[in-house]
Amino acid sequence: MTSYCKIDHVDKIYTRGSTETCVLKDITLDIEKGEYVSIIGHSGCGKSTLLNIVAGLTDATTGGVILEGKHVDEPGPDRAVVFQNHSLLPWLTVYDNVRLAVDKVFGGKKSRAERDAWTLHNLNLTQMTHAKDKRPSEISGGMKQRVGLARALAMEPKILLLDEPFGALDALTRAHLQDTVMGLHQKLGNTVMMITHDVDEAVLLSDRIIMMTNGPAAQIGEVLTVPIARPRKRLELVTDPAFLKCRQRVLEFLYERHRFVEAA
Amino acid sequence: MNMPVAKSDISASIPSAPTSAVAKIVPLPLRQTAMNTRLRATFVKVVSAVLPPLIMTILLLTAWQLLCMRPGATLPTPTKIWTEAYDLIVDPFFVAGPQDIGLGWRVLVSLQRVAIGYGLAAVFGIALGTLIGQSVWAMRGLDPIFQVLRTISPLAWLPISLAAFRDSQPSAIFVIFITSVWPIIINTAVGIRNIPQDYRNVAAVLRLNHFEFFWKIMIPSAAPYIFTGLRIGIGLSWLAIVAAEMLTGGVGIGFFIWDAWNSSRLPDIFIALAYIGIVGFVLDRIVAGVASIVTRGTSAN
């Protein structure tokens, strides 16, 4: 029985001249269909590298990723990425940014009118229809991230990769977007892999939290299953013992056993 | 009590009570309608843009006039230029004979040469710049050569092009081309090299093919750089054409200056200089205008 998405014994070694830096060591992880998995760790522990390997933007030195029985060796829309810095094309409107992805992925399968409807549908999912004719420079950071999310969802990916999607946002906007992502995950049942360094965010959104040890040669230190039923309510969770316990486990891992010494 | 004030003039006023023998003028406050505020704003803007250069021009012309009025002055005064070159100033498009035509015609002939030379330079420069920008080795190999070649004066190319083409018309066009192509190549290459990794990642995830990547990512992303090159290029072409025409002859504005010098018509030269300056300014504004329309959004990021 193979899993939906399997990260299989992935090592990543960067070679510069004669020095070799091992970033990731022996990462093995199975992700089930519809599961929301967060990867948490200190800065520089290689979690973004891991996401890039799944996305196909970086090659693993040894090992590999298998998605629905198929080996991943190049980037593709079946593994849509929401980048930390939104990466919208500034010369296109919000609509055109999403439409570019829709046209590329569904160019042969859907008619022009269907593609238009699908673009608008995805903008509507992230509540961005109102700004569809604006350019990225005219909307706020949170809105840009919503458009990035709409673009990724519009590709109907097998797995949605979120690379610290809320990292650059203020706390209130972040909470808002987390709720949107949680709602969409509930509604659409996407498989999600998210990189984060925010403990509350990881516990709130995830089914499982993968805790990475510090680099170099980062490994999976601990895996925590979050036993909180969905739908989850932000306000109710604050006093939920299960939430607090999960939160404590992650905090202990990050700040006691694997304290980030260089930052101290 | 609502007296409609239709006049937009600030001194709008009405006579007050008719009972008094002497009508008293009571100024009413101007009603600030959207229309007249906008009109006033535009008026102020135009005046503040036009007035300072106008005053400076008048001052400079006066200084020139005073300096050249002394006996023994070598250059003509503005008034002398006005009277002696009157026919050139008032009618740019007269035709009095095969070699006696208005400056407007001459400028158009020069512009035609620039259009061909610069057009070729733009197409060739962007294409070559795109290729070089994509290849580290092409950049390393060719960039130093271009950096040397671009410093060569346009006129230094003229004998070589005359030797190669054996005709003045293609030689002049070649000089325009060779002068304006370097900044276009170099800026395009830099623009292509500076495409952010983010956009490349997006293209990779979407699996854009080379053609789509070129049109949808590369060109829009590099557009601000390309237009910087194009703007420098048009300025250089206009500089080069005047010099080239002085040597190759023909009908253009450059040859006119040389011809006027040889027949001691100094006032005509001043008029030609004014033409060259204004046309150069207009060319620069046109390229800048096109750039601001095309790169809308891109440069705002």
Side-chain angles (χ1 to χ4, degrees), chain A residues 57 74-81 83 85 87-91 100-101 104-105 135 137 151 155, chain B residues 198-202 204-209 212 215-218 220-221 296-298 300-301:
Chain A
L57 293 167
E74 60 167 350
D78 57 339
R79 284 155 284 120
V81 188
F83 298 96
N85 51 359
S87 295
L88 298 177
L89 305 176
W91 51 88
L100 177 69
K104 191 58 198 163
V105 178
R135 282 170 200 281
S137 55
R151 176 171 66 182
M155 300 179 210
Chain B
D198 298 341
Y199 302 165
R200 293 184 189 275
N201 285 346
V202 170
V205 169
L206 288 176
R207 289 207 182 122
L208 296 183
N209 57 38
E212 288 165 326
W215 282 111
K216 298 197 166 151
I217 309 281
M218 231 184 226
S221 175
R296 178 181 35 137
T298 317
N301 198 31

mmCIF file of all heavy atoms in Angstrom, chain A residues 57 74-81 83 85 87-91 100-101 104-105 135 137 151 155, chain B residues 198-202 204-209 212 215-218 220-221 296-298 300-301:
data_model
loop_
_atom_site.group_PDB
_atom_site.id
_atom_site.type_symbol
_atom_site.label_atom_id
_atom_site.label_comp_id
_atom_site.label_asym_id
_atom_site.label_seq_id
_atom_site.Cartn_x
_atom_site.Cartn_y
_atom_site.Cartn_z
ATOM 1 N N LEU A 57 11.185 22.276 -7.855
ATOM 2 C CA LEU A 57 12.030 23.424 -8.189
ATOM 3 C C LEU A 57 13.486 23.152 -7.824
ATOM 4 O O LEU A 57 14.400 23.764 -8.363
ATOM 5 C CB LEU A 57 11.532 24.676 -7.460
ATOM 6 C CG LEU A 57 10.161 25.196 -7.907
ATOM 7 C CD1 LEU A 57 9.619 26.221 -6.925
ATOM 8 C CD2 LEU A 57 10.238 25.792 -9.304
ATOM 9 N N GLU A 74 10.187 17.323 -12.029
ATOM 10 C CA GLU A 74 10.176 18.703 -12.522
ATOM 11 C C GLU A 74 8.976 19.420 -11.936
ATOM 12 O O GLU A 74 8.046 18.774 -11.462
ATOM 13 C CB GLU A 74 10.119 18.717 -14.058
ATOM 14 C CG GLU A 74 8.889 18.031 -14.606
ATOM 15 C CD GLU A 74 8.666 18.317 -16.089
ATOM 16 O OE1 GLU A 74 9.351 19.181 -16.632
ATOM 17 O OE2 GLU A 74 7.781 17.677 -16.675
ATOM 18 N N PRO A 75 8.984 20.755 -11.953
ATOM 19 C CA PRO A 75 7.840 21.481 -11.408
ATOM 20 C C PRO A 75 6.617 21.280 -12.294
ATOM 21 O O PRO A 75 6.741 20.983 -13.480
ATOM 22 C CB PRO A 75 8.276 22.953 -11.464
ATOM 23 C CG PRO A 75 9.714 22.951 -11.808
ATOM 24 C CD PRO A 75 10.029 21.663 -12.449
ATOM 25 N N GLY A 76 5.448 21.425 -11.722
ATOM 26 C CA GLY A 76 4.242 21.289 -12.526
ATOM 27 C C GLY A 76 3.029 21.785 -11.759
ATOM 28 O O GLY A 76 3.078 21.926 -10.535
ATOM 29 N N PRO A 77 1.956 22.050 -12.476
ATOM 30 C CA PRO A 77 0.766 22.610 -11.841
ATOM 31 C C PRO A 77 0.033 21.637 -10.914
ATOM 32 O O PRO A 77 -0.836 22.057 -10.163
ATOM 33 C CB PRO A 77 -0.114 23.015 -13.033
ATOM 34 C CG PRO A 77 0.400 22.243 -14.183
ATOM 35 C CD PRO A 77 1.841 21.958 -13.928
ATOM 36 N N ASP A 78 0.398 20.335 -10.971
ATOM 37 C CA ASP A 78 -0.241 19.413 -10.029
ATOM 38 C C ASP A 78 0.321 19.602 -8.615
ATOM 39 O O ASP A 78 -0.173 19.032 -7.662
ATOM 40 C CB ASP A 78 -0.054 17.965 -10.491
ATOM 41 C CG ASP A 78 1.414 17.598 -10.673
ATOM 42 O OD1 ASP A 78 2.236 18.528 -10.833
ATOM 43 O OD2 ASP A 78 1.729 16.405 -10.640
ATOM 44 N N ARG A 79 1.395 20.410 -8.495
ATOM 45 C CA ARG A 79 1.951 20.746 -7.183
ATOM 46 C C ARG A 79 2.066 22.262 -7.086
ATOM 47 O O ARG A 79 3.159 22.826 -7.043
ATOM 48 C CB ARG A 79 3.314 20.088 -6.987
ATOM 49 C CG ARG A 79 3.235 18.592 -6.675
ATOM 50 C CD ARG A 79 4.484 17.880 -7.077
ATOM 51 N NE ARG A 79 4.545 17.683 -8.521
ATOM 52 C CZ ARG A 79 5.520 18.170 -9.281
ATOM 53 N NH1 ARG A 79 6.504 18.856 -8.751
ATOM 54 N NH2 ARG A 79 5.496 17.963 -10.583
ATOM 55 N N ALA A 80 0.919 22.929 -7.086
ATOM 56 C CA ALA A 80 0.889 24.392 -7.107
ATOM 57 C C ALA A 80 1.490 24.951 -5.821
ATOM 58 O O ALA A 80 1.269 24.425 -4.745
ATOM 59 C CB ALA A 80 -0.535 24.878 -7.263
ATOM 60 N N VAL A 81 2.264 26.016 -5.980
ATOM 61 C CA VAL A 81 2.933 26.623 -4.828
ATOM 62 C C VAL A 81 2.347 28.008 -4.562
ATOM 63 O O VAL A 81 2.132 28.781 -5.492
ATOM 64 C CB VAL A 81 4.452 26.767 -5.093
ATOM 65 C CG1 VAL A 81 5.164 27.210 -3.822
ATOM 66 C CG2 VAL A 81 5.042 25.470 -5.610
ATOM 67 N N PHE A 83 3.747 31.113 -2.903
ATOM 68 C CA PHE A 83 5.059 31.565 -2.446
ATOM 69 C C PHE A 83 4.918 32.584 -1.319
ATOM 70 O O PHE A 83 3.935 33.311 -1.244
ATOM 71 C CB PHE A 83 5.828 32.196 -3.609
ATOM 72 C CG PHE A 83 6.093 31.240 -4.741
ATOM 73 C CD1 PHE A 83 5.245 31.197 -5.839
ATOM 74 C CD2 PHE A 83 7.175 30.393 -4.704
ATOM 75 C CE1 PHE A 83 5.484 30.324 -6.889
ATOM 76 C CE2 PHE A 83 7.418 29.514 -5.749
ATOM 77 C CZ PHE A 83 6.575 29.477 -6.837
ATOM 78 N N ASN A 85 6.441 35.365 -0.922
ATOM 79 C CA ASN A 85 6.357 36.756 -1.394
ATOM 80 C C ASN A 85 5.380 36.881 -2.572
ATOM 81 O O ASN A 85 5.602 37.646 -3.482
ATOM 82 C CB ASN A 85 7.738 37.256 -1.779
ATOM 83 C CG ASN A 85 8.423 36.292 -2.712
ATOM 84 O OD1 ASN A 85 7.854 35.251 -3.043
ATOM 85 N ND2 ASN A 85 9.593 36.615 -3.174
ATOM 86 N N SER A 87 4.690 36.423 -5.414
ATOM 87 C CA SER A 87 5.130 36.149 -6.788
ATOM 88 C C SER A 87 4.045 36.353 -7.835
ATOM 89 O O SER A 87 3.940 35.589 -8.788
ATOM 90 C CB SER A 87 5.649 34.713 -6.918
ATOM 91 O OG SER A 87 6.797 34.565 -6.143
ATOM 92 N N LEU A 88 3.247 37.380 -7.669
ATOM 93 C CA LEU A 88 2.299 37.723 -8.742
ATOM 94 C C LEU A 88 3.064 38.516 -9.794
ATOM 95 O O LEU A 88 4.033 39.196 -9.484
ATOM 96 C CB LEU A 88 1.157 38.564 -8.184
ATOM 97 C CG LEU A 88 0.309 37.889 -7.117
ATOM 98 C CD1 LEU A 88 -0.741 38.856 -6.592
ATOM 99 C CD2 LEU A 88 -0.363 36.644 -7.652
ATOM 100 N N LEU A 89 2.622 38.409 -11.038
ATOM 101 C CA LEU A 89 3.276 39.165 -12.092
ATOM 102 C C LEU A 89 2.711 40.588 -12.080
ATOM 103 O O LEU A 89 1.516 40.781 -12.284
ATOM 104 C CB LEU A 89 3.041 38.493 -13.452
ATOM 105 C CG LEU A 89 3.472 37.016 -13.488
ATOM 106 C CD1 LEU A 89 3.138 36.388 -14.816
ATOM 107 C CD2 LEU A 89 4.954 36.877 -13.181
ATOM 108 N N PRO A 90 3.562 41.585 -11.821
ATOM 109 C CA PRO A 90 3.058 42.933 -11.558
ATOM 110 C C PRO A 90 2.431 43.612 -12.773
ATOM 111 O O PRO A 90 1.698 44.585 -12.616
ATOM 112 C CB PRO A 90 4.293 43.693 -11.088
ATOM 113 C CG PRO A 90 5.445 42.926 -11.599
ATOM 114 C CD PRO A 90 5.016 41.494 -11.670
ATOM 115 N N TRP A 91 2.738 43.107 -13.979
ATOM 116 C CA TRP A 91 2.177 43.769 -15.169
ATOM 117 C C TRP A 91 0.816 43.194 -15.549
ATOM 118 O O TRP A 91 0.193 43.670 -16.470
ATOM 119 C CB TRP A 91 3.139 43.658 -16.353
ATOM 120 C CG TRP A 91 3.612 42.268 -16.622
ATOM 121 C CD1 TRP A 91 2.993 41.351 -17.411
ATOM 122 C CD2 TRP A 91 4.766 41.633 -16.091
ATOM 123 N NE1 TRP A 91 3.705 40.185 -17.401
ATOM 124 C CE2 TRP A 91 4.800 40.324 -16.601
ATOM 125 C CE3 TRP A 91 5.777 42.057 -15.219
ATOM 126 C CZ2 TRP A 91 5.803 39.421 -16.276
ATOM 127 C CZ3 TRP A 91 6.770 41.154 -14.913
ATOM 128 C CH2 TRP A 91 6.783 39.860 -15.434
ATOM 129 N N LEU A 100 -3.884 33.396 -16.372
ATOM 130 C CA LEU A 100 -2.687 32.833 -16.993
ATOM 131 C C LEU A 100 -2.534 31.367 -16.595
ATOM 132 O O LEU A 100 -2.287 30.495 -17.437
ATOM 133 C CB LEU A 100 -1.454 33.630 -16.559
ATOM 134 C CG LEU A 100 -0.095 33.135 -17.058
ATOM 135 C CD1 LEU A 100 0.045 33.337 -18.554
ATOM 136 C CD2 LEU A 100 1.047 33.853 -16.345
ATOM 137 N N ALA A 101 -2.722 31.106 -15.283
ATOM 138 C CA ALA A 101 -2.615 29.722 -14.801
ATOM 139 C C ALA A 101 -3.741 28.863 -15.355
ATOM 140 O O ALA A 101 -3.522 27.732 -15.796
ATOM 141 C CB ALA A 101 -2.638 29.706 -13.273
ATOM 142 N N LYS A 104 -3.210 28.022 -18.982
ATOM 143 C CA LYS A 104 -2.116 27.082 -19.184
ATOM 144 C C LYS A 104 -2.542 25.661 -18.800
ATOM 145 O O LYS A 104 -2.223 24.704 -19.483
ATOM 146 C CB LYS A 104 -0.920 27.543 -18.344
ATOM 147 C CG LYS A 104 0.366 26.832 -18.644
ATOM 148 C CD LYS A 104 0.791 26.968 -20.091
ATOM 149 C CE LYS A 104 1.816 25.890 -20.429
ATOM 150 N NZ LYS A 104 1.987 25.695 -21.846
ATOM 151 N N VAL A 105 -3.279 25.545 -17.694
ATOM 152 C CA VAL A 105 -3.619 24.211 -17.190
ATOM 153 C C VAL A 105 -4.836 23.628 -17.918
ATOM 154 O O VAL A 105 -4.888 22.447 -18.215
ATOM 155 C CB VAL A 105 -3.867 24.264 -15.666
ATOM 156 C CG1 VAL A 105 -4.264 22.894 -15.135
ATOM 157 C CG2 VAL A 105 -2.620 24.753 -14.948
ATOM 158 N N ARG A 135 -4.130 45.937 -10.333
ATOM 159 C CA ARG A 135 -2.805 45.350 -10.463
ATOM 160 C C ARG A 135 -2.254 45.049 -9.076
ATOM 161 O O ARG A 135 -2.642 45.692 -8.113
ATOM 162 C CB ARG A 135 -1.878 46.324 -11.181
ATOM 163 C CG ARG A 135 -2.117 46.326 -12.648
ATOM 164 C CD ARG A 135 -1.376 47.441 -13.343
ATOM 165 N NE ARG A 135 -2.005 47.691 -14.632
ATOM 166 C CZ ARG A 135 -1.796 46.931 -15.700
ATOM 167 N NH1 ARG A 135 -0.982 45.918 -15.643
ATOM 168 N NH2 ARG A 135 -2.411 47.192 -16.824
ATOM 169 N N SER A 137 0.283 45.896 -7.530
ATOM 170 C CA SER A 137 0.832 47.016 -6.763
ATOM 171 C C SER A 137 -0.267 47.850 -6.107
ATOM 172 O O SER A 137 0.015 48.677 -5.256
ATOM 173 C CB SER A 137 1.674 47.902 -7.683
ATOM 174 O OG SER A 137 0.907 48.320 -8.787
ATOM 175 N N ARG A 151 -4.743 31.593 -7.478
ATOM 176 C CA ARG A 151 -4.021 31.094 -8.639
ATOM 177 C C ARG A 151 -3.646 29.623 -8.442
ATOM 178 O O ARG A 151 -3.800 28.808 -9.347
ATOM 179 C CB ARG A 151 -2.755 31.938 -8.851
ATOM 180 C CG ARG A 151 -1.881 31.431 -9.978
ATOM 181 C CD ARG A 151 -0.764 32.377 -10.302
ATOM 182 N NE ARG A 151 0.193 32.483 -9.206
ATOM 183 C CZ ARG A 151 1.254 33.294 -9.221
ATOM 184 N NH1 ARG A 151 1.454 34.068 -10.256
ATOM 185 N NH2 ARG A 151 2.083 33.341 -8.203
ATOM 186 N N MET A 155 -5.362 25.827 -10.323
ATOM 187 C CA MET A 155 -4.669 24.772 -11.068
ATOM 188 C C MET A 155 -5.170 23.392 -10.683
ATOM 189 O O MET A 155 -4.702 22.397 -11.239
ATOM 190 C CB MET A 155 -3.162 24.840 -10.787
ATOM 191 C CG MET A 155 -2.499 26.141 -11.177
ATOM 192 S SD MET A 155 -0.744 26.079 -10.749
ATOM 193 C CE MET A 155 -0.376 27.789 -10.429
ATOM 194 N N ASP B 198 11.539 34.544 -8.581
ATOM 195 C CA ASP B 198 10.120 34.287 -8.312
ATOM 196 C C ASP B 198 9.342 34.067 -9.605
ATOM 197 O O ASP B 198 8.525 33.160 -9.718
ATOM 198 C CB ASP B 198 9.476 35.482 -7.601
ATOM 199 C CG ASP B 198 10.133 35.738 -6.262
ATOM 200 O OD1 ASP B 198 10.798 34.813 -5.767
ATOM 201 O OD2 ASP B 198 9.979 36.848 -5.745
ATOM 202 N N TYR B 199 9.591 34.936 -10.592
ATOM 203 C CA TYR B 199 8.852 34.822 -11.850
ATOM 204 C C TYR B 199 9.251 33.540 -12.580
ATOM 205 O O TYR B 199 8.433 32.887 -13.209
ATOM 206 C CB TYR B 199 9.113 36.033 -12.756
ATOM 207 C CG TYR B 199 8.760 37.370 -12.142
ATOM 208 C CD1 TYR B 199 9.223 38.554 -12.693
ATOM 209 C CD2 TYR B 199 7.957 37.461 -11.005
ATOM 210 C CE1 TYR B 199 8.920 39.782 -12.144
ATOM 211 C CE2 TYR B 199 7.650 38.680 -10.448
ATOM 212 C CZ TYR B 199 8.141 39.840 -11.015
ATOM 213 O OH TYR B 199 7.833 41.048 -10.461
ATOM 214 N N ARG B 200 10.545 33.194 -12.468
ATOM 215 C CA ARG B 200 10.996 31.951 -13.097
ATOM 216 C C ARG B 200 10.325 30.747 -12.436
ATOM 217 O O ARG B 200 9.956 29.792 -13.101
ATOM 218 C CB ARG B 200 12.522 31.826 -12.984
ATOM 219 C CG ARG B 200 13.268 32.872 -13.800
ATOM 220 C CD ARG B 200 14.769 32.637 -13.724
ATOM 221 N NE ARG B 200 15.505 33.735 -14.323
ATOM 222 C CZ ARG B 200 15.779 33.835 -15.619
ATOM 223 N NH1 ARG B 200 15.387 32.881 -16.429
ATOM 224 N NH2 ARG B 200 16.426 34.870 -16.091
ATOM 225 N N ASN B 201 10.177 30.827 -11.093
ATOM 226 C CA ASN B 201 9.496 29.734 -10.384
ATOM 227 C C ASN B 201 8.047 29.607 -10.834
ATOM 228 O O ASN B 201 7.550 28.505 -11.049
ATOM 229 C CB ASN B 201 9.535 29.975 -8.876
ATOM 230 C CG ASN B 201 10.899 29.707 -8.275
ATOM 231 O OD1 ASN B 201 11.752 29.105 -8.931
ATOM 232 N ND2 ASN B 201 11.111 30.145 -7.066
ATOM 233 N N VAL B 202 7.374 30.738 -10.949
ATOM 234 C CA VAL B 202 5.983 30.720 -11.398
ATOM 235 C C VAL B 202 5.908 30.067 -12.780
ATOM 236 O O VAL B 202 5.080 29.189 -13.025
ATOM 237 C CB VAL B 202 5.400 32.154 -11.451
ATOM 238 C CG1 VAL B 202 4.047 32.169 -12.140
ATOM 239 C CG2 VAL B 202 5.278 32.715 -10.047
ATOM 240 N N ALA B 204 7.963 28.009 -14.058
ATOM 241 C CA ALA B 204 8.282 26.588 -13.967
ATOM 242 C C ALA B 204 7.077 25.792 -13.471
ATOM 243 O O ALA B 204 6.752 24.737 -14.018
ATOM 244 C CB ALA B 204 9.475 26.388 -13.032
ATOM 245 N N VAL B 205 6.409 26.308 -12.444
ATOM 246 C CA VAL B 205 5.243 25.595 -11.911
ATOM 247 C C VAL B 205 4.142 25.513 -12.974
ATOM 248 O O VAL B 205 3.471 24.497 -13.117
ATOM 249 C CB VAL B 205 4.729 26.288 -10.630
ATOM 250 C CG1 VAL B 205 3.371 25.733 -10.220
ATOM 251 C CG2 VAL B 205 5.723 26.102 -9.492
ATOM 252 N N LEU B 206 3.982 26.582 -13.737
ATOM 253 C CA LEU B 206 2.942 26.589 -14.778
ATOM 254 C C LEU B 206 3.382 25.831 -16.030
ATOM 255 O O LEU B 206 2.601 25.645 -16.948
ATOM 256 C CB LEU B 206 2.597 28.029 -15.168
ATOM 257 C CG LEU B 206 1.810 28.821 -14.133
ATOM 258 C CD1 LEU B 206 1.630 30.259 -14.599
ATOM 259 C CD2 LEU B 206 0.458 28.190 -13.895
ATOM 260 N N ARG B 207 4.638 25.433 -16.063
ATOM 261 C CA ARG B 207 5.219 24.766 -17.237
ATOM 262 C C ARG B 207 5.034 25.596 -18.501
ATOM 263 O O ARG B 207 4.587 25.100 -19.538
ATOM 264 C CB ARG B 207 4.602 23.389 -17.450
ATOM 265 C CG ARG B 207 5.017 22.388 -16.403
ATOM 266 C CD ARG B 207 4.964 20.976 -16.953
ATOM 267 N NE ARG B 207 5.324 20.021 -15.924
ATOM 268 C CZ ARG B 207 4.530 19.022 -15.531
ATOM 269 N NH1 ARG B 207 3.352 18.841 -16.105
ATOM 270 N NH2 ARG B 207 4.912 18.210 -14.578
ATOM 271 N N LEU B 208 5.368 26.882 -18.431
ATOM 272 C CA LEU B 208 5.333 27.717 -19.636
ATOM 273 C C LEU B 208 6.437 27.230 -20.567
ATOM 274 O O LEU B 208 7.540 26.927 -20.117
ATOM 275 C CB LEU B 208 5.593 29.185 -19.279
ATOM 276 C CG LEU B 208 4.573 29.890 -18.376
ATOM 277 C CD1 LEU B 208 4.959 31.358 -18.206
ATOM 278 C CD2 LEU B 208 3.170 29.794 -18.949
ATOM 279 N N ASN B 209 6.136 27.144 -21.870
ATOM 280 C CA ASN B 209 7.199 26.764 -22.805
ATOM 281 C C ASN B 209 8.046 27.996 -23.134
ATOM 282 O O ASN B 209 7.760 29.096 -22.678
ATOM 283 C CB ASN B 209 6.617 26.114 -24.066
ATOM 284 C CG ASN B 209 5.636 27.017 -24.771
ATOM 285 O OD1 ASN B 209 5.851 28.226 -24.835
ATOM 286 N ND2 ASN B 209 4.561 26.456 -25.283
ATOM 287 N N GLU B 212 6.159 30.996 -24.607
ATOM 288 C CA GLU B 212 5.291 31.669 -23.621
ATOM 289 C C GLU B 212 6.124 32.415 -22.595
ATOM 290 O O GLU B 212 5.789 33.523 -22.180
ATOM 291 C CB GLU B 212 4.400 30.641 -22.906
ATOM 292 C CG GLU B 212 3.315 30.082 -23.784
ATOM 293 C CD GLU B 212 2.699 28.828 -23.191
ATOM 294 O OE1 GLU B 212 3.423 28.050 -22.543
ATOM 295 O OE2 GLU B 212 1.494 28.630 -23.380
ATOM 296 N N TRP B 215 7.320 35.746 -24.104
ATOM 297 C CA TRP B 215 6.334 36.814 -24.254
ATOM 298 C C TRP B 215 5.650 37.204 -22.954
ATOM 299 O O TRP B 215 5.302 38.359 -22.756
ATOM 300 C CB TRP B 215 5.263 36.411 -25.278
ATOM 301 C CG TRP B 215 5.754 36.567 -26.670
ATOM 302 C CD1 TRP B 215 6.017 35.572 -27.557
ATOM 303 C CD2 TRP B 215 6.100 37.789 -27.346
ATOM 304 N NE1 TRP B 215 6.498 36.088 -28.731
ATOM 305 C CE2 TRP B 215 6.559 37.442 -28.628
ATOM 306 C CE3 TRP B 215 6.059 39.136 -26.984
ATOM 307 C CZ2 TRP B 215 6.976 38.398 -29.560
ATOM 308 C CZ3 TRP B 215 6.484 40.083 -27.912
ATOM 309 C CH2 TRP B 215 6.931 39.711 -29.178
ATOM 310 N N LYS B 216 5.428 36.221 -22.067
ATOM 311 C CA LYS B 216 4.620 36.518 -20.880
ATOM 312 C C LYS B 216 5.447 36.899 -19.662
ATOM 313 O O LYS B 216 4.944 37.537 -18.746
ATOM 314 C CB LYS B 216 3.731 35.320 -20.550
ATOM 315 C CG LYS B 216 2.782 35.069 -21.703
ATOM 316 C CD LYS B 216 1.619 34.197 -21.346
ATOM 317 C CE LYS B 216 0.590 34.306 -22.459
ATOM 318 N NZ LYS B 216 -0.198 33.118 -22.606
ATOM 319 N N ILE B 217 6.700 36.470 -19.611
ATOM 320 C CA ILE B 217 7.517 36.776 -18.433
ATOM 321 C C ILE B 217 8.702 37.670 -18.814
ATOM 322 O O ILE B 217 8.886 38.755 -18.256
ATOM 323 C CB ILE B 217 8.076 35.486 -17.778
ATOM 324 C CG1 ILE B 217 6.960 34.477 -17.525
ATOM 325 C CG2 ILE B 217 8.860 35.819 -16.523
ATOM 326 C CD1 ILE B 217 6.118 34.716 -16.323
ATOM 327 N N MET B 218 9.484 37.213 -19.801
ATOM 328 C CA MET B 218 10.742 37.884 -20.080
ATOM 329 C C MET B 218 10.563 39.323 -20.541
ATOM 330 O O MET B 218 11.110 40.243 -19.940
ATOM 331 C CB MET B 218 11.435 37.107 -21.194
ATOM 332 C CG MET B 218 12.833 36.755 -20.876
ATOM 333 S SD MET B 218 13.484 35.956 -22.325
ATOM 334 C CE MET B 218 14.239 34.610 -21.559
ATOM 335 N N PRO B 220 7.876 41.475 -20.562
ATOM 336 C CA PRO B 220 7.305 42.434 -19.613
ATOM 337 C C PRO B 220 8.224 42.718 -18.439
ATOM 338 O O PRO B 220 8.319 43.855 -17.979
ATOM 339 C CB PRO B 220 6.020 41.756 -19.125
ATOM 340 C CG PRO B 220 5.773 40.619 -20.019
ATOM 341 C CD PRO B 220 7.047 40.264 -20.692
ATOM 342 N N SER B 221 8.940 41.688 -17.979
ATOM 343 C CA SER B 221 9.794 41.886 -16.818
ATOM 344 C C SER B 221 10.997 42.757 -17.160
ATOM 345 O O SER B 221 11.430 43.580 -16.356
ATOM 346 C CB SER B 221 10.248 40.520 -16.287
ATOM 347 O OG SER B 221 11.153 40.689 -15.243
ATOM 348 N N ARG B 296 3.788 50.187 -17.463
ATOM 349 C CA ARG B 296 2.828 50.458 -16.389
ATOM 350 C C ARG B 296 2.702 49.190 -15.537
ATOM 351 O O ARG B 296 2.483 48.112 -16.054
ATOM 352 C CB ARG B 296 1.528 50.789 -17.108
ATOM 353 C CG ARG B 296 0.329 51.075 -16.386
ATOM 354 C CD ARG B 296 -0.742 51.332 -17.463
ATOM 355 N NE ARG B 296 -0.514 50.470 -18.630
ATOM 356 C CZ ARG B 296 -1.468 49.822 -19.274
ATOM 357 N NH1 ARG B 296 -2.691 49.949 -18.932
ATOM 358 N NH2 ARG B 296 -1.187 49.049 -20.301
ATOM 359 N N GLY B 297 2.848 49.341 -14.233
ATOM 360 C CA GLY B 297 2.737 48.156 -13.385
ATOM 361 C C GLY B 297 4.085 47.523 -13.103
ATOM 362 O O GLY B 297 4.431 47.294 -11.961
ATOM 363 N N THR B 298 4.850 47.272 -14.154
ATOM 364 C CA THR B 298 6.119 46.571 -13.952
ATOM 365 C C THR B 298 7.056 47.347 -13.056
ATOM 366 O O THR B 298 7.616 46.816 -12.106
ATOM 367 C CB THR B 298 6.824 46.362 -15.304
ATOM 368 O OG1 THR B 298 5.857 45.945 -16.226
ATOM 369 C CG2 THR B 298 7.924 45.359 -15.178
ATOM 370 N N ALA B 300 6.320 49.662 -11.068
ATOM 371 C CA ALA B 300 5.728 50.047 -9.782
ATOM 372 C C ALA B 300 6.047 49.028 -8.707
ATOM 373 O O ALA B 300 5.872 49.287 -7.530
ATOM 374 C CB ALA B 300 4.216 50.182 -9.937
ATOM 375 N N ASN B 301 6.498 47.867 -9.120
ATOM 376 C CA ASN B 301 6.730 46.828 -8.103
ATOM 377 C C ASN B 301 8.038 47.047 -7.361
ATOM 378 O O ASN B 301 9.075 46.986 -7.936
ATOM 379 C CB ASN B 301 6.771 45.451 -8.789
ATOM 380 C CG ASN B 301 6.570 44.351 -7.792
ATOM 381 O OD1 ASN B 301 5.884 44.536 -6.794
ATOM 382 N ND2 ASN B 301 7.157 43.206 -8.042
#
